[in-house]
């Protein structure tokens, strides 16, 4: 079940997942999304390793996330992770 909620100046998107793709400009799009998240004071899921991806090419697993940055809250943004429907659905907040 996917819900689409219109985005407008009075209602910015708050929960975003950007899936990792290879050689398609995902790094550039990730940079834009990081800036968007900073401007809207969103919480990011960041990887434990010191790179921008979540153990690529492995499918996303919540254990890959450094939870010290989340302050016991669910993140709003998950960027550059490889798709894993069950793991992502259980980790990211509902709309």
């Amino acid at each position: 079940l996917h819900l689409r909620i219109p985005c407008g100046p009075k209602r910015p998107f708050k929960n975003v997942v950007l899936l990792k793709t290879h050689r398609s400009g995902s790094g550039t799009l990730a940079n834009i999304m990081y800036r968007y998240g900073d401007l809207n004071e969103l919480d990011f899921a960041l990887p434990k390793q010191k790179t921008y991806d979540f153990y690529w090419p492995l499918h996303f697993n919540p254990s890959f996330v450094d939870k010290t940055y989340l302050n016991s809250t669910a993140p709003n943004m998950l960027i550059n992770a490889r798709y894993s429907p069950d793991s992502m659905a259980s980790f990211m907040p509902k709309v």
Side-chain angles (χ1 to χ4, degrees), residues 3 5 19 28 34-35 39 45 48 58 74 84 91-93:
L3 300 174
I5 297 174
L19 302 175
T28 301
Y34 285 128
R35 291 171 190 231
L39 289 172
K48 287 180 180 176
L58 300 177
S84 178
F91 185 70
M92 291 297 292

Side-chain angles (χ1 to χ4, degrees), residues 18-95:
L18 174 64
L19 302 175
K20 177 74 175 142
T21 56
H22 186 65
R23 307 293 303 161
S24 63
S26 62
T28 301
L29 186 54
N31 190 340
I32 292 167
M33 297 306 297
Y34 285 128
R35 291 171 190 231
Y36 175 84
D38 282 339
L39 289 172
N40 289 284
E41 299 180 6
L42 303 180
D43 293 319
F44 295 90
L46 299 173
K48 287 180 180 176
Q49 65 184 12
K50 303 299 180 203
T51 64
Y52 65 92
D53 59 9
F54 290 89
Y55 299 94
W56 179 264
L58 300 177
H59 291 275
F60 175 76
N61 186 305
S63 69
F64 299 164
V65 176
D66 188 344
K67 293 173 181 63
T68 59
Y69 294 105
L70 294 178
N71 299 319
S72 301
T73 62
N76 300 108
M77 303 198 73
L78 174 61
I79 296 176
N80 277 341
R82 188 169 178 201
Y83 188 58
S84 178
D86 294 334
S87 293
M88 288 178 173
S90 67
F91 185 70
M92 291 297 292
K94 305 294 182 246
V95 176

